[in-house]
Amino acid sequence: LANTHCGKCHEMDKKKKGPSYKAMATKFKGDEAKALAAISDPKGDHPEVKAKPEEVKTVVKWMLTQQ
């Protein structure tokens, strides 16, 4: 999911259309709920995620380890 969907806008170390995974890990500092809310908020900047909630949660947990 991180490569096929998220990778269209995010990369590990550099900004693409969206922030890098490392920048997001630093921003959310292990706060999984805050990261999930930012991704899932329909009024936010993030486009709609077309994946199962448990898949998104798995990617967020991985992303938070990328500091």
Side-chain angles (χ1 to χ4, degrees), residues 38-52:
I39 292 168
S40 304
D41 182 2
K43 296 177 185 173
D45 293 335
H46 198 277
E48 180 184 358
V49 177
K50 294 182 171 115
K52 295 176 183 173

Side-chain angles (χ1 to χ4, degrees), residues 7-66:
K8 293 176 184 175
C9 297
H10 303 282
E11 287 191 21
M12 184 60 69
D13 293 11
K14 65 180 183 178
K15 183 173 174 33
K16 216 171 168 179
K17 184 176 181 181
S20 71
Y21 294 122
K22 287 186 176 186
M24 290 187 294
T26 299
K27 176 181 179 178
F28 294 115
K29 297 178 182 154
D31 191 336
E32 184 180 322
K34 191 173 180 181
L36 284 168
I39 292 168
S40 304
D41 182 2
K43 296 177 185 173
D45 293 335
H46 198 277
E48 180 184 358
V49 177
K50 294 182 171 115
K52 295 176 183 173
E54 52 274 5
E55 293 174 322
V56 175
K57 191 171 186 175
T58 298
V59 171
V60 166
K61 285 182 178 186
W62 168 81
M63 180 266 302
L64 291 173
T65 67
Q66 303 306 307

